[in-house]
């Protein structure tokens, strides 16, 4: 045979129907779904055009590799054989005896499907059947089986496999045909109501028994045959009475792929294996794992299903398992400590060691079982949620196992959450993590021994950044008070100046007065023009001449009050002396002018007129009167509103002056900003000395007495102190001050305040 590209090998519709009727998921080969385009597009090109994807199936089996014997009936795409079918591989000849098969080929001559029954050919160099075994047969790609079946192992997508459903018990002789006298007897019983699944790739060669729970085993206590020379055979550990719930297989071409479900980068990685064994495996008395165990060592009669991992590892040995892991660690300074990993992966790597030759190491990674009843409750640390376990176990018995996640540290001041991990080695059980307190990140470490727990808090990287601010907070508050008093005084002075200037109107008043004066002048001019027109009209209508009139005097009388109001306001605004009298006059002048915002007067004009020919002689003069109206806006509505607002705020000038004086008194009784800043610099220097000496804090918890003893670390020396929260910056500073020197900002500040008050009293006298 040669490697070629071929369409995906799927069973034909006849096999689909036969398997769907005869097999279920619980019995090995599952029923295949009825959608041919989903399950077998290559086998149904008419129903599924353009849906077949070609894949490389490795050493493809061709029509030339198969020889039918007996009754052979040709079909459209192959033949039916009632007799036997011989298959030639690169190294051997495989015979499907007592065969009743339907054999189908693709258009390129590669094997497409086989269905029916036959005796199972045993791969050479692996095992022999004690008696021939008849079984249902199918032929599938690894891709199809991986996606549609659950055989506990990952098959190679690109290879094709014979799958047998065996409904009877089996008697096998495990061994290597190179030494036909060395073997191990093995009994496999089909599960009640089901069957054993046997998978084989004769081009590898490869085989795999998928047995399920309680499918492998027997009650034969007498064992199998023995050659009596110690070379395999029955050595008293026969699998006849040892095996249960085990699946196993081998691949000469190492075509079993171990893919860890919980990989550890750089350690637990995928690799190709040539042997798989399902069951429970013990790793160096520390770790026990249950699942499918992959190895890259040969399959032979020495296989021990109870302990499939031997002690003599060769270089480059690899093994792996996915499933449930159980650890049991002997920690010298602590206790015998173990825990279950509900879903995990373990991989064994054998490496050369300069001191010990070949040393095997099992790397693990997985999720700890959520039931934490195994956790030692006498230590003041508890898991708080899911944990991830990782690490390694060495063949020498050495181990280094960690568990990471969220934890709670139990303290007298209250529980404290922590993100981190615990670690177990033969010598110690320890903890490392981080505690988040506000914006600070504290380091947390602990050592757990039989008698006590010692927990240490390491100060945050920015520990010194906030301590000066904390210790000098009173000084900072005093500086803020003084600065506020200065600002209040400045605001009071500005408010006083604002009120004194009638909220900014004083500068605008001359302009308002000038515009009002112009408006009055315009009103006079308009009155004169209107009156003169009225007089002239009267004279013209009566053919008279003007002798005299009082128009100008009447207009002056009308606008006199407005002119006086302007003069009064101008004088009040110009008065710089701020007292109650001047403020009263200013308010009155503002309101007076605001009330005269318009001139709307009608007045009578007296006209003395004479004869058009004889003139204004006494004999010819006469008197008449006519009405004249002046209607003029002196102030706009905005100007009037400004004047009234200013009048309303005149009373606040005195109040603003009082606030200004009071603000000055307050400021006089406070230390200056310069004095306060100098004090803060002094205290900060003390704090710097203090914080440079603090290395952390912690507690010791006695497991027997349940008592906590707290300490601080000053200049590398532990000093016992009273109870406090070791992850609180302020509390740590408070308990540490007496150990170095009291950086007392309060006392110094109080003294400075008293000195400022004394200065004020002295200045008053």
């Amino acid at each position: 045979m040669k490697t070629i590209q071929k369409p995906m090998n799927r069973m034909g519709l006849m096999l689909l129907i036969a398997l769907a009727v005869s097999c279920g998921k619980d019995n090995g080969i599952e029923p295949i779904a009825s959608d041919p385009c989903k399950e077998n597009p290559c086998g149904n090109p008419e129903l599924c055009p353009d849906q077949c994807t070609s894949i490389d199936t490795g050493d493809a089996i061709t029509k030339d590799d198969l020889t039918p014997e007996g009754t052979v009936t040709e079909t459209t795409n192959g033949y039916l054989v009632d007799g036997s079918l011989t298959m030639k591989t690169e190294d051997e000849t495989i015979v499907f005896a007592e065969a009743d098969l339907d054999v189908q080929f693709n258009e390129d001559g590669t094997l497409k499907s086989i269905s029916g029954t036959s005796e199972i050919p045993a791969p050479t160099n692996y095992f022999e059947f004690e008696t021939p075994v008849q079984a249902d047969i199918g032929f599938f790609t690894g891709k199809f089986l991986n996606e549609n079946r659950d055989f506990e192992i990952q098959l190679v997508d690109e290879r094709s496999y014979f799958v047998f459903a065996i409904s009877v018990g089996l008697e096998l002789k495990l061994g290597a045909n190179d030494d036909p006298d060395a073997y191990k007897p093995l009994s496999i019983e089909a599960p009640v109501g089901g069957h054993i699944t046997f998978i084989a790739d004769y081009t590898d060669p490869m085989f795999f028994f998928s047995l399920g729970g309680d499918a492998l085993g027997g009650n034969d206590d007498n064992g199998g045959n023995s050659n009596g020379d110690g070379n395999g055979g029955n050595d008293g550990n026969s699998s006849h009475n040892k095996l249960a719930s085990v699946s196993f297989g081998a691949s000469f071409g190492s075509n079993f792929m171990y893919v860890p479900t919980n990989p550890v980068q750089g350690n637990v990685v995928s690799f190709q294996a040539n042997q798989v064994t399902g069951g429970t495996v013990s790793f160096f008395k520390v770790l026990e794992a249950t699942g499918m165990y992959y190895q890259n060592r040969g399959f032979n009669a020495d296989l021990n299903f109870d302990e499939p991992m031997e002690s003599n590892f060769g270089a480059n040995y690899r093994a792996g398992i996915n499933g449930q892991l159980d650890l049991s660690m002997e920690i010298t300074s602590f206790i015998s400590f173990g825990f279950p990993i509900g879903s995990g992966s373990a991989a064994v790597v054998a490496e050369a060691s300069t001191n010990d030759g070949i040393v095997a190491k099992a790397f693990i990674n997985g999720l700890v079982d959520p039931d934490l009843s195994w956790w030692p409750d006498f230590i003041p640390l508890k898991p708080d949620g899911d944990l991830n376990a990782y690490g390694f176990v060495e063949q020498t018995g050495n181990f280094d196992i960690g568990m990471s996640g969220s934890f709670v540290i139990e303290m007298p001041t209250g529980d404290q959450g922590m993100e981190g991990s615990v670690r177990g080695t033969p010598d110690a059980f320890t903890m490392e993590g981080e505690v988040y307190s506000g914006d600070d990140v504290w380091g947390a470490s602990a050592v757990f021994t039989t008698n006590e727990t010692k927990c240490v808090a390491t100060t945050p990287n920015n520990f010194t950044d906030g301590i000066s601010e904390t210790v000098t907070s009173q000084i900072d508050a005093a500086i803020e008070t003084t600065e506020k008093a200065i600002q209040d005084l400045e605001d009071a002075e500005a408010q006083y100046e604002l009120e004194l200037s009638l909220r900014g109107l004083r500068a605008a008043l001359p302009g308002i007065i000038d515009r009002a004066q112009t408006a009055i002048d315009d009103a006079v001019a308009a009155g004169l023009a209107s009156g003169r027109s009225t007089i002239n009209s009267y004279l013209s209508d009566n053919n008279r001449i003007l002798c005299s009139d009082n128009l100008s005097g009447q207009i002056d009388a009308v606008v006199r009050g407005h002119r006086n109001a302007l003069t009064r306001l101008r004088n009040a605004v110009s008065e710089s002396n701020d007292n109650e009298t001047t403020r009263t006059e200013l308010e009155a002048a503002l309101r007076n002018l605001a009330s005269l915002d318009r001139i709307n007067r009608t007045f009578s004009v007296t006209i003395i007129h004479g004869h058009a020919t004889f003139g204004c002689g006494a004999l010819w003069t006469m008197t008449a009167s006519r009405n004249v109206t002046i209607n003029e806006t002196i102030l706009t509505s905005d100007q009037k509103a400004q004047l009234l607002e200013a009048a309303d705020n005149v009373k606040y000038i005195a109040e603003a002056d009082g606030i200004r004086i009071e603000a000055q008194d307050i400021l006089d009784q406070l230390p200056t900003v310069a004095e306060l800043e100098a004090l803060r610099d002094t205290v900060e220097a003390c704090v710097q000395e203090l914080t440079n000496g603090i290395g952390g804090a912690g507690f010791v918890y006695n497991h027997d007495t349940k008592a906590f003893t707290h300490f601080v670390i000053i200049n590398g020396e532990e000093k016992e102190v009273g109870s406090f929260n070791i992850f609180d910056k302020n509390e740590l500073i408070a308990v540490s001050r007496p150990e170095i020197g009291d950086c007392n900002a309060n006392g110094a500040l109080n003294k400075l305040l008293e000195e400022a008050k004394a200065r004020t009293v002295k200045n008053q006298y």
Side-chain angles (χ1 to χ4, degrees), residues 2-24:
K2 60 182 180 178
T3 301
I4 61 174
Q5 286 289 324
K6 55 172 285 186
M8 297 175 65
N9 291 301
R10 306 285 186 174
M11 298 301 295
L13 288 177
M14 182 181 299
L15 178 59
L16 297 177
I17 297 172
L19 289 178
V21 172
S22 62
C23 302

Side-chain angles (χ1 to χ4, degrees), residues 126 130 172-176 179-187 221-242 300-305:
Y126 286 128
E130 290 282 7
L172 304 178
K173 288 168 46 175
L174 298 180
D179 186 0
D181 294 328
Y183 66 89
K184 175 182 290 187
L186 177 65
S187 295
D221 295 334
N222 296 321
N225 296 328
S226 174
N227 56 21
D229 61 1
N231 258 341
N234 182 4
D235 59 359
N237 292 319
S238 168
S239 295
H240 277 280
N241 58 356
K242 292 283 188 180
N300 55 52
D302 293 331
L303 175 66
N304 186 335
F305 286 97

